[in-house]
Amino acid sequence: MGKNQVVNILLLLRPYNEILMAQINNIYAQDGEVGFVYPQVIIWSPVVVAGLKSTRNYRCQSSYPLDKIYKKIEDMKIRIKSHQVKIYGKAAENQVYLQVLCWLEDYQGKSCSIIREEKLTERVSLNEFDDHPYDPLELRHILDILDFSWDADLNGQLLEINYELTYNVLAVREQKVSIQTALGIAPLDALLPPGEGDHLEQIAEENRQLRKQMDLYEKNLGSLKRGIKKAESQNNLLNKELGSYKDMVSELREAVRRDQGSSGYQNESAKMAPTEDSLGKKIKRMFLNNQ
């Protein structure tokens, strides 16, 4: 490697995800080792100056009234829309805004969806933060959510959801940061035992294939869930049609029974009524007897 070669270094800076380009001016080769000398770079960046002494675990339950009693919860999604920290006096109020999307099934087999908005709040005393020499009002506070979970259940005409949130609060201050380092960098293969580089490459390829298989299994599972839901809908429709057919058969049986009763009455009446021939003979005999 020559002295005039230039290597681009990409630095990823949280939280702004800015990509900084540093040009390497001097590259030295001494005894087979490569040393990189970086120029001094000054950036404007948020710096964490304090945080909670321990993580917080927040639990609460919320109830949402429904228009009627439902049979079960088919599916539910809850996403965190946004979150923020506000300073009120000597306390920090942590606010988390949620959106609840729930699919419910009633006792007639019909599905419907509901959307609810929720706000979780908890106040934390500033005394629970690490000691720092800055005024809290001069700092920006960030809510760092470590874990979020929930479970839901139907209770009569109420949808009850239990929320659990694990988080930390970081106090950050905007300031200038100077970056200047000198590193000795060697290729990865030089740090590994002989033959281990090929083994790592093989493992990476196997991981890529496993990832593709997992993606395929997830797609198949999604298709299977949709097929099951469609089959359940068709089953409910067939049950309704079967009920209609049973009602129709009952009506037809009742109509046949009434028709058979009416036909029997007419047959009996026909047997009891004298025929025209027998009536004529009786009149003729009466006339001859009276002469």
Side-chain angles (χ1 to χ4, degrees), residues 9 11 24 26 28 33-38 180-186:
I9 304 299
L11 298 178
I24 299 177
N26 299 307
Y28 299 97
E33 296 181 357
V34 178
F36 299 105
V37 178
Y38 291 80
Q180 184 175 11
T181 58
L183 301 176
I185 301 177

Side-chain angles (χ1 to χ4, degrees), residues 250-264:
S250 299
E251 293 177 358
L252 289 174
R253 287 178 176 174
E254 182 65 21
V256 169
R257 187 183 64 79
R258 291 195 301 266
D259 184 66
Q260 289 178 346
S262 176
S263 299

Side-chain angles (χ1 to χ4, degrees), residues 262-280:
S262 176
S263 299
Y265 174 76
Q266 291 177 359
N267 292 335
E268 292 295 331
S269 300
K271 291 179 181 179
M272 293 175 62
T275 62
E276 184 177 357
D277 293 338
S278 61
L279 183 60

